[in-house]
Amino acid sequence: MTSLTLENIGISFGGLRALDGVSFTANSGEVTSIIGPNGAGKTTLFNIITGIYQPDIGKVLIDGTDVTGEAPHDLARRGMARTFQNLQIFEQMSALDNVMAGRHLHERRNVLADMFGLPSSRKCNRESAIAAQAALKRVGLGGVANRPAGDLSYGQLKRLEIARALTTEASLILFDEPAAGCNAVESREIDDLISSIASDGAAVILIEHDMRMVMRISSHIIVLDHGRKIAEGTPETVRKSPQVVEAYLGVHGAKEAGAALA
Amino acid sequence: MSPVLRAFLIISALLLLAPLLFPSVYYYRIGVLVLINTLSVTGMVVLLGYVGLVSLGHAGFFAIGAYATAVLPAYGIPPILTILVGAIGAALVAAFIGKPILRLKGHYLAIATLGFGMLVWMVLSKEAWLTGGPDGMVVESIDVKAPFELLGIKIKTAIAWYWICAVAVVIGIVLATNLANSPAGRAMRAVHESDVAAASLGIDVARTKLTAFIISAVYASVAGSLLALFNRYVTPDTADFLHSIEIMTMTVLGGASSVYGALIGALILTSLPQMLTVFAEYENMMFGAIMILTMVLMRQGLAPAIAQLFSRGRK
Amino acid sequence: MSEFVQFCFSGLTVGAIYASVALGFTLIYNASGVINFSQGEFVVIGGMTTAVLIASGVPIWLAAPIAIIAAVIAGMTLYKLAIEPARGAPLVTLIIITIGASIFLRGLMQTVFDKQIHRYEGFSGEQSIAIFGAALLPQSIWILGGSLVVFVLLVWFLSRTKAGNAIRATSSDILAAKLAGINTNSTMMLAFALSAATGALAGVLATPVTFTSYDAGVLMALKGFAAMMLGGVGSPAGALIGGILIGLIEAFTAGYISSDYKDAAAFLVIFLVLFFMPGGLFGMVRVERV
Amino acid sequence: MKRFLAATTILATLCAPAIAEIKIGATLAITGPASFLGDPEAKSLKMVVDQVNKAGGINGEMIKLIIYDDGANPNKARTFAIRLIEEDEVVAVVGASTSGTTMALIPLFEEAEIPFVSLGGAIAIIDPVKSYVFKTPHTDRMACSKIFEDIAARGMKKVGMISGTGGFGASMRKQCLEIATATGIEVVADETYGPKDADMTPQLTNIRNAEGIQAIINPGFGQGPAVVTRNYAQLGIELPFYQSHGVASNSYIELAGKASEGVRLPATALLIPDLMAADDPQKEVVLNYISSYTEMTGEPVSTFGGYAYDGLRLVLEAIRAKGSSKPKDIRDGLEEIQGFAGVTGVFNFSATDHLGLDLSAFRMLEIRDGGWTPAK
């Protein structure tokens, strides 16, 4: 059981308040989504959770332990993984190698053994390859394992990042717009994937613009606007909050939103 | 075939066959210099090619190895052992300075490493009581023919050196290739391409960079020790800024992404000046022009360009 | 007191030369993101050409502009033949190209001129001026003034002129600059030309003090590069302050501590500054967007 | 295999020996930090070869000169030395411009038994004597002796030194410190500067302020001493000022300008051809060298070019005297040379002396009215 708790997170950039008093909890086995208009501070929030930014105030807790300000790789060691809104793919490496890199924490790390090609290092490599293959299959990229990542399509890269995060076996996974730029079919596949990851027991946090997707798979939604949390609850609650609809889509968009959210 | 086996076979074959083209000891000397350079460049491939860090001060590590070999025998350490001591010394120095300076990025890292190389150079030229000052010092020679005579082979010194360095290079390249395809090497390449993504996977970026920095320092140091033993003389030139640039240039010209690039870069830049002597005073101009032209036409370096040529040929 | 002032004069003179070189670096860096390691050769082209012309009877007011024009031509040719065709290449590749260019230019000067050391008389004579018991050469004032003027012109140019704005736009986002209708190629060519002119001017002013020879550029580039890094890449103020600081550190170390390790002291200070300010004194560390 | 054959054919054509040719090699610092030495040296060597070949060669054979530019880098110098020995098959080698490169090459020539006439200054080159190694420049120790002799003669007891950090300056600084101790003169200030530094006023300020200082010595070559001299004038220092033989050239006076007035330095006859006695054995050689060198290059002569000029002429003299161009004979011939007038001095080699010069070849000169005069 893993839970992530944010307490009163706030951060400013050059006097501009990017986040202000944001608190929530995400639990394992659930998909917690963060939604809000562009510039609401969603990705900034992700960067604080994953240790890239330091919050000015507030705390990040994993299972009750204060992890605020820990380095990203230490947070990963605590079982956190993420994908990126602007893809962060290792383009010169093969798809398989990309995912194998995700096995880092499961590998025995001894650089001398690696250089001398000792059996322990090779065994490690084999095991990582098997795990990575499995993860690639799970996201439907089993066929392109040996292609250079740079040759893959955008949709494939999105899934590659998911596979890479998956293969860390993290208990807390953050997805930053995993379906952005994907077509309906791909979107659907990613949906199912994320649901299944959550039902496998991980705590999933999701940023997504595709409302259909958010409403379908989230158990819990947090709505941000201008750096503040303006609503929180089940999809039902959020959907019904007129304040959210207005803040999120503006008055003009409200009608369309009604249609989309219906 | 695994990349390691392939590298081992190709490089060994090249090094075994090369002497067929050597009509005299002079060619063996060039061969040895190419090999010693290949060794330091291989270290640079790990640093620049794997983790993507620029160092303009690697001659500093090269000189640490060279001077360890020159100075230590006077303190009772046998010359062969000085290679190891030098390598450990270089690794410690790299670990010590790497911690603060590897946080720097791009050009800032370049100036910090450059400063390190300059400092080594200064110490070597000013502390004459230990290093002989700017005019350098004599290195105790070792009998490289002995192991061959043990096998019943009579051989000239320079030729013996060629085979010793060839073995060193093959080992160096195999180790570096092993690394490339291992967990640690994958972490390095991941850091190279995106350090945020690497960190998100639990890779300690600073540590990974430091590891590569130390490995490359050890390569340079061993190469330095070999050169000192081979030349039987060292001067602070080994730590010169221009030598650092030379190592860097060989790496980039050959193609930083592969160990083959190390060999090609070292081969070209070591033998080119020998061929250009016919141009007398135009030598420098030719050299500069060739450098520019190669980099403009082959941005990724020679090795990838050659590989492309081969694969196109196969198709 | 008189010692202190003397060390200051020494540091300021030498520092101003480093600063001028660093300003040349800054200009090209701002336009293209490239550190041009052949910047030192522009300085030498300026000094050498002037020296050779003066030696053959050309007056300084004519020799200096000719020298600067020669450097500008070299700078533009360098851009056209070596940098432009390699646009978009990895940064290290570009660095190696500029290093190749520096070797080439050195070879060229060695054949066009000679390997002798050259100098000419200072513009306002050689009689030193006594200030607070210390002696200052009039040429030092020329050098200091020159670097200040270059600095002011550079700041003005980058922030107030259309071409300067184009340079800044090109550096921050080349694609956006292109979309905004900026001819990025001619903008960069302009940056190389101006940078060469800056370097050559430094050479013209400094040669009576520093002397010059075909291979003097290496050290110039090294110090100028160090100055720019100390000040912070891309910042004209950083280049100016960085250069002068390095000059002062060298002079004071030589004067008060040990002349053996004056260059070491400069690098130690750079280490320290970068340790606490990884972007140099005036530089910014860019926050990566992920 | 085909490539191998092609390569050997090319090499064979390149290396095809012409008939009756004496091959002499040189590896010099023509570019790089010591190009100040190597450049005039290379020009002087070419000039000798031209002159000798025009006059019909030596013993009826033409001289072929092979020069490489080692940039004062010992690693490169070694490569070129091996190339000269193995590929070019030279019978003798002149050069290595600096002491550092020379020291790196000595074992090679000793092993190959090829006579090697070094142009480096350090005393370690010929002390202890090595079978195949000779040198033509005065040692830096001799220069220091000469300077301190002069200082002692003027009754001065306390001096300051400012030395270049290059090989030349560092080595000479060490010798001078030793000689100072030996002659009972105290060095009260000991400063250094980098070879390309632009301003040495801080160091000179410290020297000027040293307690009881009576004279300043500046070992170094290249532009450094000229900068030091200008700074010395800028600061208005009026102490007696000694330079080394490293700047014994008119270009020093040109670079240092009026500031060089009154500077003393130990130098060879090369600088004062007109002041030499008519019966001076060196007079003709010196005048010849000066006129042909300036005519060929348009540059003023320097001591360094003179070293190379002497070096090659000594080798040729040995060949002529022995009637053979076998390396062993050249070596023996060199050792037998007596009373050979060169531009640097009159050489008398022996089995125990591979320099062949004594202090008498050094003259203490003073710069007066922009020219050289014997110091009084």
Side-chain angles (χ1 to χ4, degrees), chain C residues 132-150:
Chain C
F132 298 121
L136 179 69
L137 285 179
Q139 193 65 24
S140 294
I141 300 171
W142 276 98
I143 294 171
L144 265 169
S147 64
L148 284 176
V149 168
V150 167

PDB file of all heavy atoms in Angstrom, chain C residues 132-150:
ATOM      1  N   PHE C 132      49.982  58.591  -7.835  1.00  0.00           N
ATOM      2  CA  PHE C 132      50.142  58.023  -6.487  1.00  0.00           C
ATOM      3  C   PHE C 132      51.430  57.215  -6.366  1.00  0.00           C
ATOM      4  O   PHE C 132      51.441  56.143  -5.786  1.00  0.00           O
ATOM      5  CB  PHE C 132      48.959  57.124  -6.125  1.00  0.00           C
ATOM      6  CG  PHE C 132      47.653  57.844  -6.076  1.00  0.00           C
ATOM      7  CD1 PHE C 132      46.598  57.466  -6.888  1.00  0.00           C
ATOM      8  CD2 PHE C 132      47.482  58.926  -5.199  1.00  0.00           C
ATOM      9  CE1 PHE C 132      45.390  58.142  -6.839  1.00  0.00           C
ATOM     10  CE2 PHE C 132      46.270  59.593  -5.147  1.00  0.00           C
ATOM     11  CZ  PHE C 132      45.220  59.203  -5.972  1.00  0.00           C
ATOM     12  N   GLY C 133      52.470  57.687  -6.966  1.00  0.00           N
ATOM     13  CA  GLY C 133      53.757  56.994  -6.856  1.00  0.00           C
ATOM     14  C   GLY C 133      53.864  55.762  -7.717  1.00  0.00           C
ATOM     15  O   GLY C 133      54.833  55.017  -7.636  1.00  0.00           O
ATOM     16  N   ALA C 134      52.856  55.503  -8.538  1.00  0.00           N
ATOM     17  CA  ALA C 134      52.920  54.355  -9.441  1.00  0.00           C
ATOM     18  C   ALA C 134      53.022  54.866 -10.869  1.00  0.00           C
ATOM     19  O   ALA C 134      52.644  55.996 -11.159  1.00  0.00           O
ATOM     20  CB  ALA C 134      51.690  53.482  -9.288  1.00  0.00           C
ATOM     21  N   ALA C 135      53.553  54.007 -11.738  1.00  0.00           N
ATOM     22  CA  ALA C 135      53.770  54.437 -13.117  1.00  0.00           C
ATOM     23  C   ALA C 135      52.769  53.769 -14.044  1.00  0.00           C
ATOM     24  O   ALA C 135      52.607  52.551 -14.023  1.00  0.00           O
ATOM     25  CB  ALA C 135      55.191  54.082 -13.545  1.00  0.00           C
ATOM     26  N   LEU C 136      52.108  54.592 -14.841  1.00  0.00           N
ATOM     27  CA  LEU C 136      51.114  54.070 -15.775  1.00  0.00           C
ATOM     28  C   LEU C 136      51.526  54.458 -17.192  1.00  0.00           C
ATOM     29  O   LEU C 136      51.861  55.609 -17.449  1.00  0.00           O
ATOM     30  CB  LEU C 136      49.740  54.657 -15.455  1.00  0.00           C
ATOM     31  CG  LEU C 136      48.585  54.232 -16.354  1.00  0.00           C
ATOM     32  CD1 LEU C 136      48.255  52.766 -16.131  1.00  0.00           C
ATOM     33  CD2 LEU C 136      47.368  55.100 -16.107  1.00  0.00           C
ATOM     34  N   LEU C 137      51.479  53.485 -18.094  1.00  0.00           N
ATOM     35  CA  LEU C 137      51.783  53.800 -19.491  1.00  0.00           C
ATOM     36  C   LEU C 137      50.553  54.419 -20.146  1.00  0.00           C
ATOM     37  O   LEU C 137      49.432  53.968 -19.907  1.00  0.00           O
ATOM     38  CB  LEU C 137      52.146  52.524 -20.249  1.00  0.00           C
ATOM     39  CG  LEU C 137      53.528  51.938 -19.993  1.00  0.00           C
ATOM     40  CD1 LEU C 137      53.684  50.671 -20.804  1.00  0.00           C
ATOM     41  CD2 LEU C 137      54.615  52.936 -20.340  1.00  0.00           C
ATOM     42  N   PRO C 138      50.774  55.437 -20.972  1.00  0.00           N
ATOM     43  CA  PRO C 138      49.611  56.034 -21.648  1.00  0.00           C
ATOM     44  C   PRO C 138      48.840  54.998 -22.475  1.00  0.00           C
ATOM     45  O   PRO C 138      47.626  55.080 -22.598  1.00  0.00           O
ATOM     46  CB  PRO C 138      50.215  57.115 -22.547  1.00  0.00           C
ATOM     47  CG  PRO C 138      51.684  57.066 -22.358  1.00  0.00           C
ATOM     48  CD  PRO C 138      52.014  56.145 -21.250  1.00  0.00           C
ATOM     49  N   GLN C 139      49.555  54.002 -22.995  1.00  0.00           N
ATOM     50  CA  GLN C 139      48.871  52.997 -23.809  1.00  0.00           C
ATOM     51  C   GLN C 139      47.849  52.216 -22.980  1.00  0.00           C
ATOM     52  O   GLN C 139      46.829  51.767 -23.495  1.00  0.00           O
ATOM     53  CB  GLN C 139      49.888  52.043 -24.446  1.00  0.00           C
ATOM     54  CG  GLN C 139      49.324  51.159 -25.540  1.00  0.00           C
ATOM     55  CD  GLN C 139      48.864  51.950 -26.751  1.00  0.00           C
ATOM     56  OE1 GLN C 139      49.331  53.064 -27.000  1.00  0.00           O
ATOM     57  NE2 GLN C 139      47.927  51.401 -27.506  1.00  0.00           N
ATOM     58  N   SER C 140      48.124  52.082 -21.678  1.00  0.00           N
ATOM     59  CA  SER C 140      47.178  51.379 -20.807  1.00  0.00           C
ATOM     60  C   SER C 140      45.840  52.084 -20.810  1.00  0.00           C
ATOM     61  O   SER C 140      44.783  51.454 -20.765  1.00  0.00           O
ATOM     62  CB  SER C 140      47.712  51.311 -19.378  1.00  0.00           C
ATOM     63  OG  SER C 140      48.856  50.509 -19.332  1.00  0.00           O
ATOM     64  N   ILE C 141      45.897  53.410 -20.852  1.00  0.00           N
ATOM     65  CA  ILE C 141      44.644  54.172 -20.873  1.00  0.00           C
ATOM     66  C   ILE C 141      43.899  53.906 -22.174  1.00  0.00           C
ATOM     67  O   ILE C 141      42.684  53.718 -22.186  1.00  0.00           O
ATOM     68  CB  ILE C 141      44.940  55.679 -20.700  1.00  0.00           C
ATOM     69  CG1 ILE C 141      45.638  55.886 -19.349  1.00  0.00           C
ATOM     70  CG2 ILE C 141      43.663  56.496 -20.790  1.00  0.00           C
ATOM     71  CD1 ILE C 141      46.186  57.273 -19.135  1.00  0.00           C
ATOM     72  N   TRP C 142      44.643  53.841 -23.265  1.00  0.00           N
ATOM     73  CA  TRP C 142      44.036  53.498 -24.555  1.00  0.00           C
ATOM     74  C   TRP C 142      43.340  52.131 -24.476  1.00  0.00           C
ATOM     75  O   TRP C 142      42.223  51.946 -24.949  1.00  0.00           O
ATOM     76  CB  TRP C 142      45.103  53.439 -25.645  1.00  0.00           C
ATOM     77  CG  TRP C 142      45.435  54.774 -26.236  1.00  0.00           C
ATOM     78  CD1 TRP C 142      46.484  55.572 -25.901  1.00  0.00           C
ATOM     79  CD2 TRP C 142      44.726  55.458 -27.272  1.00  0.00           C
ATOM     80  NE1 TRP C 142      46.476  56.718 -26.656  1.00  0.00           N
ATOM     81  CE2 TRP C 142      45.409  56.675 -27.509  1.00  0.00           C
ATOM     82  CE3 TRP C 142      43.583  55.166 -28.005  1.00  0.00           C
ATOM     83  CZ2 TRP C 142      44.980  57.588 -28.460  1.00  0.00           C
ATOM     84  CZ3 TRP C 142      43.156  56.077 -28.955  1.00  0.00           C
ATOM     85  CH2 TRP C 142      43.845  57.280 -29.168  1.00  0.00           C
ATOM     86  N   ILE C 143      44.056  51.175 -23.871  1.00  0.00           N
ATOM     87  CA  ILE C 143      43.508  49.820 -23.810  1.00  0.00           C
ATOM     88  C   ILE C 143      42.239  49.780 -22.964  1.00  0.00           C
ATOM     89  O   ILE C 143      41.207  49.240 -23.369  1.00  0.00           O
ATOM     90  CB  ILE C 143      44.560  48.846 -23.233  1.00  0.00           C
ATOM     91  CG1 ILE C 143      45.743  48.722 -24.205  1.00  0.00           C
ATOM     92  CG2 ILE C 143      43.961  47.485 -22.956  1.00  0.00           C
ATOM     93  CD1 ILE C 143      46.923  47.961 -23.652  1.00  0.00           C
ATOM     94  N   LEU C 144      42.334  50.399 -21.775  1.00  0.00           N
ATOM     95  CA  LEU C 144      41.164  50.429 -20.890  1.00  0.00           C
ATOM     96  C   LEU C 144      39.990  51.127 -21.569  1.00  0.00           C
ATOM     97  O   LEU C 144      38.874  50.617 -21.582  1.00  0.00           O
ATOM     98  CB  LEU C 144      41.515  51.180 -19.606  1.00  0.00           C
ATOM     99  CG  LEU C 144      41.960  50.320 -18.433  1.00  0.00           C
ATOM    100  CD1 LEU C 144      42.532  51.200 -17.338  1.00  0.00           C
ATOM    101  CD2 LEU C 144      40.767  49.530 -17.907  1.00  0.00           C
ATOM    102  N   GLY C 145      40.299  52.289 -22.138  1.00  0.00           N
ATOM    103  CA  GLY C 145      39.259  53.040 -22.827  1.00  0.00           C
ATOM    104  C   GLY C 145      38.657  52.226 -23.951  1.00  0.00           C
ATOM    105  O   GLY C 145      37.439  52.168 -24.114  1.00  0.00           O
ATOM    106  N   GLY C 146      39.523  51.566 -24.700  1.00  0.00           N
ATOM    107  CA  GLY C 146      39.062  50.762 -25.833  1.00  0.00           C
ATOM    108  C   GLY C 146      38.094  49.684 -25.383  1.00  0.00           C
ATOM    109  O   GLY C 146      37.023  49.516 -25.973  1.00  0.00           O
ATOM    110  N   SER C 147      38.423  48.998 -24.300  1.00  0.00           N
ATOM    111  CA  SER C 147      37.541  47.915 -23.907  1.00  0.00           C
ATOM    112  C   SER C 147      36.222  48.449 -23.359  1.00  0.00           C
ATOM    113  O   SER C 147      35.170  47.838 -23.548  1.00  0.00           O
ATOM    114  CB  SER C 147      38.232  46.965 -22.916  1.00  0.00           C
ATOM    115  OG  SER C 147      38.514  47.648 -21.739  1.00  0.00           O
ATOM    116  N   LEU C 148      36.298  49.602 -22.694  1.00  0.00           N
ATOM    117  CA  LEU C 148      35.042  50.198 -22.221  1.00  0.00           C
ATOM    118  C   LEU C 148      34.156  50.612 -23.386  1.00  0.00           C
ATOM    119  O   LEU C 148      32.952  50.360 -23.383  1.00  0.00           O
ATOM    120  CB  LEU C 148      35.338  51.416 -21.330  1.00  0.00           C
ATOM    121  CG  LEU C 148      35.809  51.070 -19.916  1.00  0.00           C
ATOM    122  CD1 LEU C 148      36.170  52.330 -19.153  1.00  0.00           C
ATOM    123  CD2 LEU C 148      34.720  50.290 -19.178  1.00  0.00           C
ATOM    124  N   VAL C 149      34.776  51.241 -24.394  1.00  0.00           N
ATOM    125  CA  VAL C 149      33.998  51.679 -25.549  1.00  0.00           C
ATOM    126  C   VAL C 149      33.371  50.481 -26.242  1.00  0.00           C
ATOM    127  O   VAL C 149      32.180  50.474 -26.575  1.00  0.00           O
ATOM    128  CB  VAL C 149      34.905  52.467 -26.533  1.00  0.00           C
ATOM    129  CG1 VAL C 149      34.196  52.669 -27.862  1.00  0.00           C
ATOM    130  CG2 VAL C 149      35.297  53.800 -25.921  1.00  0.00           C
ATOM    131  N   VAL C 150      34.165  49.427 -26.419  1.00  0.00           N
ATOM    132  CA  VAL C 150      33.629  48.227 -27.060  1.00  0.00           C
ATOM    133  C   VAL C 150      32.459  47.684 -26.247  1.00  0.00           C
ATOM    134  O   VAL C 150      31.428  47.299 -26.793  1.00  0.00           O
ATOM    135  CB  VAL C 150      34.726  47.152 -27.215  1.00  0.00           C
ATOM    136  CG1 VAL C 150      34.120  45.813 -27.568  1.00  0.00           C
ATOM    137  CG2 VAL C 150      35.732  47.578 -28.261  1.00  0.00           C
TER     138      VAL C 150
END
